[in-house]
Amino acid sequence: MRPADIFTAFILAMLAASASAATQSYYGEAEDLVTGKLLYREYHTVEYGGGIPVKRTVDYKNPQGELIAEKINIYADNPLTPSFNLIEPDTGYREALSMMGDQLQMILQQPGEPVQRDRLTLPDDLLVVDAGFDELIRSHWETLVAGDDLTFYFASVARFDLIRFRVERVNNSDQGKVVIRMQLASRLLAWLLDPIQLEYDAESRRLLSYRGLTNIRSASGDNYIASITYFYP
């Protein structure tokens, strides 16, 4: 192939890659469920390739604009199971997860304590990791909208465990929104954790709000329970 032909092929490949890649940025405001007080803001940047997520970065900032946590998701073959690394710069608290063949490698760093590591074998059933939950809803949209429920395992680094959940659509009067409820799959144990509720735009399928336990810790070390509203450009 002539040099000119090689250069032309390179340019065409670059243009094709640019056409299939995109970046979406949005943010959310987390408020206390009782007082409505602003707890923190989360700033998302998602990179896409060929219409599927490739990388997500999230900066979490307190009401004064100071960084309190940061997270990176790297998506591979399955958008439901991205690897992730969450860290609090000030305290050193860290949660991380990566796929290692047929196992999940988990890392937990508590402030002032030795690093803890564990590996779990992948379940035979559907598995979701971190932000992969949002992709789960969209990939099973028609099933959930039709009123059928869905069960899956969620990987919890804080517990070094796989927790089984059930998601289902909730009837609501606003036809422009689809409300999804997530709770423990066992009806006998469901009372241990309040359901998480999510609202999606019925047309764009964008996440509009989240209500429930979050992955951000308060000064006391407990995870916030909050209502998060998302804003898009």
Side-chain angles (χ1 to χ4, degrees), residues 88-222:
E88 297 176 359
D90 289 344
T91 68
Y93 179 86
R94 180 190 177 208
E95 292 183 15
L97 181 149
S98 58
M99 308 289 288
M100 301 289 289
D102 64 347
Q103 293 186 322
L104 297 173
Q105 177 173 290
M106 298 180 172
I107 298 175
L108 178 64
Q109 173 70 71
Q110 295 280 4
E113 297 183 9
V115 175
Q116 302 175 59
R117 302 175 186 271
D118 199 359
R119 288 191 178 188
L120 299 177
T121 301
L122 296 177
D124 294 330
D125 205 350
L126 196 61
L127 174 67
V128 173
V129 174
D130 197 62
F133 178 77
D134 195 32
E135 300 301 323
L136 170 76
I137 299 301
R138 278 192 282 271
S139 63
H140 293 80
W141 185 265
E142 301 301 335
T143 297
L144 293 169
V145 168
D148 296 326
D149 63 2
L150 183 69
T151 58
F152 64 94
Y153 285 99
F154 186 84
S156 171
V157 174
R159 295 178 177 271
F160 286 139
D161 198 4
L162 301 177
I163 303 174
R164 193 166 179 79
F165 281 96
R166 182 176 75 253
V167 289
E168 59 188 354
R169 181 180 183 179
V170 178
N171 292 327
N172 66 300
S173 58
D174 190 340
Q175 298 302 313
K177 297 179 181 179
V178 173
V179 181
I180 302 295
R181 179 171 56 210
M182 169 180 168
Q183 58 189 5
L184 293 175
S186 171
R187 298 185 186 278
L188 293 177
L189 300 178
W191 63 273
L192 293 173
L193 177 67
D194 289 336
I196 292 171
Q197 183 167 295
L198 306 100
E199 287 187 341
Y200 283 82
D201 180 81
E203 183 175 352
S204 68
R205 303 185 183 181
R206 282 180 170 179
L207 179 61
L208 301 177
S209 68
Y210 173 104
R211 183 183 179 92
L213 186 67
T214 75
N215 61 346
I216 298 301
R217 305 188 317 147
S218 67
S220 66
D222 296 323

Side-chain angles (χ1 to χ4, degrees), residues 58-86:
V58 190
D59 289 337
Y60 301 88
K61 298 183 179 182
N62 63 21
Q64 292 73 44
E66 300 164 334
L67 185 70
I68 56 174
E70 51 191 347
K71 184 181 72 173
I72 296 178
N73 288 114
I74 301 297
Y75 298 83
D77 297 333
N78 186 351
L80 305 187
T81 57
S83 63
F84 78 90
N85 186 65
L86 170 71

